[in-house]
Amino acid sequence: MFGYALRRVASAIPVVLIAITLCFFILRLAPGGPFDGERALPPDVLKNLRAFYHLDQPLIVQYFIYVMGVFRGDLGPSMVMTDFSVSQLMLIGLPFTLTLGFSAFIIGTVLGLVAGALAALYQNRWPDYVLVFVVLIGLIIPNFLMANLLQLLFGVYLRWLPAGGYVPGSWIHMVLPITILVLPHGGRVARLMRGSMIEVLGTNYVRTARSKGLGTRLILARHAIKPALLPVVSYLGPGLSYLLTGSLVVEQVFALPGIGKYFITAALNRDYGLVLGTTILYMFIILVLNLIVDIVYAWLDPKVRYR
């Protein structure tokens, strides 16, 4: 297993390099730049800034300078937030984004597993119909629209919850953002769990267990839960990465101090270093999560062996 993990890491390096290359050249070739504001800078100041950030060098030279810095662990400076490096901004925003994403991941996964299992047990009966309807609502309505609807309902009209902003240490400001992220994630988990559980409950060994007089709880605990989890586990890695990247929109809507705020600001201001740094960070998170999912999948299914 350890050798497999090393091979996965080694095979991911070319993918990361290709992604960095594409992002680098797409950003550089896009119109505008980090110093193109409404008020033009004096020529001497602009020349010094371009020289400081190596923007006066040929594009291919800029690329190799940046890549060599990345391999040294240096994501470079922010060209708009001049008092901070990209790594410092990541360290400021990443803990909040991880807290938001992992909270929604745990809550959504638990609720989705329970809802999917109940829907499978009561297949084609009213609990199944109600749960499927709630799941579809979470899947159909986009995050930004659901966020605005819940802001209006609970933040403006009912005034039960804050409509935006964040106070350190106050979990009440996290309720609406986490809810927005939980709905689609829990819905996908519930759909996968329902379909997988229905399939498992119809297998021969489950029917044999029922014929021996085993109760429903015992059958679920001993025979159904573990094989039914396999499709869900395959989704959890991409699902968590979706939550962490999808939180960019939620953080912007609710004015939260996560990476999303820095990323969107950097994209609007052509802050090359911060956009590339955020992209590299999310690529790293996705690769790590997919590796963890592969290991957990092998633990759940003994038939899977990585050679």
Side-chain angles (χ1 to χ4, degrees), residues 1 8 44 65-66 71 89 109 160 166 182 203 215 260 264 277 307:
M1 188 67 69
R8 282 294 301 270
D44 292 339
I65 291 174
Y66 183 78
F71 282 114
L89 293 174
T109 301
W160 290 354
Y166 178 68
V182 162
T203 55
I264 293 176
R307 298 186 183 277

Side-chain angles (χ1 to χ4, degrees), residues 47-102:
K47 181 180 179 181
N48 291 333
L49 285 172
R50 291 180 60 85
F52 179 78
Y53 292 109
H54 306 291
L55 297 180
D56 58 341
Q57 300 289 334
L59 194 57
I60 191 66
V61 175
Q62 297 179 41
Y63 168 73
F64 282 110
I65 291 174
Y66 183 78
V67 171
M68 294 304 295
V70 170
F71 282 114
R72 292 195 306 267
D74 180 15
L75 297 177
S78 171
M79 298 180 184
V80 176
M81 302 181 185
T82 54
D83 295 330
F84 297 93
S85 67
V86 174
S87 299
Q88 289 174 329
L89 293 174
M90 295 294 100
L91 291 176
I92 294 173
L94 183 60
F96 185 89
T97 299
L98 291 179
T99 301
L100 183 64
F102 275 105

Side-chain angles (χ1 to χ4, degrees), residues 166-183:
Y166 178 68
V167 176
S170 176
W171 274 93
I172 194 171
H173 289 79
M174 301 282 284
V175 173
L176 285 180
I178 289 176
T179 302
I180 300 302
L181 293 175
V182 162
L183 289 174

Side-chain angles (χ1 to χ4, degrees), residues 233-244:
V233 170
S234 299
Y235 165 74
L236 290 183
L240 180 54
S241 62
Y242 169 80
L243 285 176
L244 295 176

Side-chain angles (χ1 to χ4, degrees), residues 4-274:
Y4 168 76
L6 289 178
R7 289 194 299 272
R8 282 294 301 270
V9 172
S11 64
I13 293 176
V15 177
V16 172
L17 187 59
I18 291 172
I20 293 174
T21 303
L22 290 176
C23 292
F24 180 91
F25 285 103
I26 288 173
L27 281 173
R28 290 299 200 276
L29 296 175
F35 310 119
D36 297 338
E38 294 181 0
R39 182 179 178 181
L41 294 173
D44 292 339
V45 174
L46 182 60
K47 181 180 179 181
N48 291 333
L49 285 172
R50 291 180 60 85
F52 179 78
Y53 292 109
H54 306 291
L55 297 180
D56 58 341
Q57 300 289 334
L59 194 57
I60 191 66
V61 175
Q62 297 179 41
Y63 168 73
F64 282 110
I65 291 174
Y66 183 78
V67 171
M68 294 304 295
V70 170
F71 282 114
R72 292 195 306 267
D74 180 15
L75 297 177
S78 171
M79 298 180 184
V80 176
M81 302 181 185
T82 54
D83 295 330
F84 297 93
S85 67
V86 174
S87 299
Q88 289 174 329
L89 293 174
M90 295 294 100
L91 291 176
I92 294 173
L94 183 60
F96 185 89
T97 299
L98 291 179
T99 301
L100 183 64
F102 275 105
S103 300
F105 175 77
I106 294 171
I107 296 172
T109 301
V110 172
L111 293 179
L113 291 175
V114 173
L118 289 176
L121 290 175
Y122 295 97
Q123 184 184 7
N124 297 328
R125 285 181 278 180
W126 71 265
D128 184 21
Y129 298 141
V130 172
L131 291 170
V132 169
F133 175 76
V134 174
V135 165
L136 287 177
I137 291 296
L139 292 174
I140 291 173
I141 302 179
N143 277 351
F144 64 89
L145 178 57
M146 182 64 76
N148 290 327
L149 292 175
L150 294 187
Q151 276 181 324
L152 286 174
L153 178 61
F154 295 104
V156 177
Y157 297 140
L158 299 177
R159 296 184 179 180
W160 290 354
L161 297 168
Y166 178 68
V167 176
S170 176
W171 274 93
I172 194 171
H173 289 79
M174 301 282 284
V175 173
L176 285 180
I178 289 176
T179 302
I180 300 302
L181 293 175
V182 162
L183 289 174
H185 175 70
R188 293 185 182 94
V189 171
R191 289 187 65 183
L192 288 171
M193 188 64 181
R194 179 183 180 274
S196 180
M197 182 65 75
I198 289 174
E199 183 178 353
V200 170
L201 291 176
T203 55
N204 293 330
Y205 63 87
V206 171
R207 288 198 294 265
T208 302
R210 284 175 176 168
S211 66
K212 291 180 179 180
L214 294 180
T216 302
R217 292 183 181 179
L218 198 57
I219 291 174
L220 290 176
R222 288 187 179 180
H223 303 288
I225 291 293
K226 194 172 180 179
L229 284 175
L230 291 176
V232 180
V233 170
S234 299
Y235 165 74
L236 290 183
L240 180 54
S241 62
Y242 169 80
L243 285 176
L244 295 176
T245 54
S247 65
L248 298 178
V249 176
V250 175
E251 289 172 8
Q252 184 70 10
V253 172
F254 288 97
L256 300 175
I259 293 180
K261 177 182 70 175
Y262 299 123
F263 180 78
I264 293 176
T265 303
L268 294 176
N269 294 325
R270 295 292 193 275
D271 191 343
Y272 300 143
L274 190 50

